[in-house]
Amino acid sequence: MDSTGLALLELGAILFALGMMGRVAGRFGMSPIPLYLLGGLAFGEGGIVQMRAAAEFGHLAGEIGVVLLLLLLGLEYTAAELVTGLRRSWVAGLLDIVANATPGVLVALLLGWGAVGAVTMGGVTYISSSGIVAKVLNDLGRLGNRETPVILSILVFEDLAMAVYLPILTMMLAGLSFAAGAKSLCIAMVAITVVLVVALRYGRYVSAIVDSNDNEVFLLKLLGAALLVAGVASSLNVSAAVGAFLLGIAISGSTAQEAAKLLEPLRDLFAAIFFVAFGLNTDPKAIPPVLGWAVALAIVTALTKIGTGWWAAKRQGIRRMGRARAGAALVARGEFSIVIAGLAVSVGGVDPQLAALASAYVLMMAVLGPIVARLVEPAVRLVQRERPSVDPVVGH
C-alpha cells in the first residue's frame, strides 16, 4: 500500500475510534478527554499498534485544535466581562495560582527538570478545565446556584492568566535572552491591552469584518483570521493560542454567538485529534516511573483547588454547602493542561518524562473532577450529620 493510502487508512481508523470513544464517554456522563489520551497512548510509540503514517497530519491538526480551543474560549467572553471578572476575582485568582501551581513546580524541581520544566508543570497543575467544569455545572443543574458566579470568575482569571503565562513559557522554551524575553512579554501585554480596548469600544467593527450571512463565507473568514492571527503571534514568540484567544475576545455580540455555533463541531473534531496526537507522542512505558508522582499531584492539587473554591465562596458570604460545591467544581484538569505540556514537548525544551507525567495526571484529574463534583454534596451532609439544608435564593 502506498503512503497516501496508508495515511488515509490510519486516519480513518483514528477518527472512527474517536467517535466510538466519545459515544462511550457520553454514555457514562464523563469527559471524553481521558479516552482520547488513552487512544493516543495505545496507537503511538510503544503502544499496541503504531500508526506513523497519520502522524504528520495529526501534528498539524492538533495545532489547529489548540487554535480553535482558544478562539472558542475567547468568543465566550466579552471584554467587559473579562474586566469585571478580573476586578471581582483577582485576590482569589492569585491564591489559585500560588496554591495550585506550586505543587507542579516543586515536583518538577525534585525530578531535576530545571526552570523550564518547573514553569511547565506549574501551568499543568494550575489551570482547571473550563470545558469540563461548564459541562458538570450544566449536567448537575447548578448554573443558577449562588456559588456559580464565583466559579466562573476564577475561570475567567485563569484564562487571562494564560494569556500572560503562555508567552512567558514560549519565551523560555525558545531559549531567548532576558532582553528578548522581556520584549516578547511586553508585546504580549500590549496586545492584550489593545485588544481589550478595541473590543470594549470598537468590537462591532471587528465583528462586522468577519460577519457574513453565508455560513461558508463566515466560516472561511473566521478560520482564516484565526490562523493568520495565530501565525503572527507565534512568529512574535507570543504564542499562537494567545493570538486566537484575543481574536475571540474582539468578536462580540450576535456575531460571536453565531461563530461559536458554527465552529463548535470543528473545534471538537480538531481538539480530539490534538489529544490523540499528544498521546501518540507519549510512550506508555514512560508512565509507570512517574505514576507515583502523578497520584501525589492529583491528591494534593484536588485538595488545593477545593480549598481555593471554598475560600473564594466564603468571601462572598456563601454557605458551607455552596463553598464545598465551588471547590469541587474546580478540581478537573483537561484541555489546557495538555495544551501546555504539548507546547513544551513539541519544542523539545523539557525532559521527555514530562509528557508521561502530564498524561497520567490529566487522565486522573479529568476523571476525578466530575466524580468529586457529584459526590461533594452527600459527603458534606455525611460530615455534618444533619438533614440537607436549602440554600436561599436557588433552592439547592
Side-chain angles (χ1 to χ4, degrees):
M1 185 180 296
D2 62 19
S3 59
T4 302
L6 181 59
L8 290 172
L9 180 66
E10 290 184 1
L11 184 60
I14 289 172
L15 292 177
F16 184 79
L18 287 177
M20 296 303 293
M21 290 173 186
R23 183 175 181 180
V24 170
R27 183 72 57 88
F28 291 96
M30 62 179 283
S31 166
I33 292 174
L35 295 183
Y36 294 159
L37 285 172
L38 287 174
L41 290 170
F43 298 109
E45 291 292 331
I48 301 170
V49 179
Q50 293 187 26
M51 293 187 173
R52 293 193 179 97
E56 187 175 342
F57 173 81
H59 174 72
L60 181 59
E63 293 296 322
I64 295 173
V66 173
V67 169
L68 290 176
L69 275 170
L70 272 292
L71 175 63
L72 266 290
L73 181 65
L75 289 171
E76 291 178 9
Y77 301 121
T78 65
E81 287 172 342
L82 283 174
V83 172
T84 301
L86 186 60
R87 287 173 179 167
R88 180 187 301 168
S89 64
W90 70 271
V91 177
L94 291 178
L95 173 66
D96 188 23
I97 292 175
V98 174
N100 295 287
T102 300
V105 169
L106 292 177
V107 166
L109 292 176
L110 287 171
L111 291 172
W113 292 347
V116 177
V119 172
T120 303
M121 280 306 301
V124 169
T125 59
Y126 160 57
I127 189 163
S128 301
S129 168
S130 301
I132 296 176
V133 171
K135 186 176 188 305
V136 168
L137 291 175
N138 183 62
D139 290 348
L140 298 179
R142 295 179 184 171
L143 290 175
N145 284 20
R146 285 190 62 202
E147 74 274 2
T148 299
V150 175
I151 298 168
L152 296 179
S153 66
I154 291 175
L155 293 177
V156 169
F157 187 94
E158 289 185 353
D159 295 334
L160 276 176
M162 283 295 104
V164 177
Y165 165 84
L166 286 174
I168 294 174
L169 179 61
T170 304
M171 169 195 74
M172 295 181 71
L173 291 169
L176 300 179
S177 65
F178 178 79
K183 179 182 177 182
S184 177
L185 184 58
C186 286
I187 290 172
M189 297 306 297
V190 169
I192 292 168
T193 304
V194 169
V195 168
L196 288 177
V197 171
V198 169
L200 280 168
R201 296 189 177 183
Y202 310 107
R204 62 185 181 278
Y205 298 114
V206 178
S207 300
I209 292 172
V210 298
D211 199 6
S212 175
N213 292 326
D214 187 312
N215 283 347
E216 180 182 347
V217 174
F218 193 15
L219 180 59
L220 287 171
K221 288 201 289 184
L222 269 175
L223 192 55
L227 295 177
L228 279 170
V229 171
V232 171
S234 183
S235 66
L236 295 173
N237 289 315
V238 172
S239 168
V242 171
F245 177 64
L246 294 177
L247 176 63
I249 294 171
I251 299 171
S252 59
S254 60
T255 304
Q257 295 172 4
E258 290 302 315
K261 290 178 185 177
L262 198 60
L263 288 173
E264 217 168 72
L266 272 180
R267 177 204 60 186
D268 293 342
L269 171 61
F270 282 99
I273 295 174
F274 166 71
F275 295 124
V276 171
F278 184 83
L280 287 171
N281 293 320
T282 304
D283 189 347
K285 295 175 184 175
I287 291 180
V290 296
L291 188 58
W293 290 109
V295 172
L297 276 177
I299 294 171
V300 171
T301 56
L303 293 174
T304 52
K305 277 291 182 184
I306 291 171
T308 299
W310 180 285
W311 184 83
K314 184 178 180 180
R315 289 186 76 232
Q316 300 297 321
I318 294 170
R319 295 175 61 179
R320 187 170 298 176
M321 182 64 81
R323 297 175 207 166
R325 288 194 296 250
L330 294 169
V331 168
R333 271 51 157 213
E335 62 273 22
F336 295 114
S337 296
I338 295 297
V339 167
I340 292 164
L343 175 64
V345 172
S346 65
V347 174
V350 296
D351 192 290
Q353 280 195 316
L354 189 145
L357 178 56
S359 294
Y361 175 74
V362 172
L363 280 170
M364 293 178 194
M365 299 305 285
V367 173
L368 182 64
I371 293 174
V372 171
R374 282 175 168 81
L375 296 181
V376 65
E377 288 188 350
V380 171
R381 288 167 184 156
L382 182 64
V383 170
Q384 291 179 335
R385 296 185 182 278
E386 61 183 27
R387 292 177 63 85
S389 59
V390 179
D391 285 350
V393 181
V394 297
H396 286 284

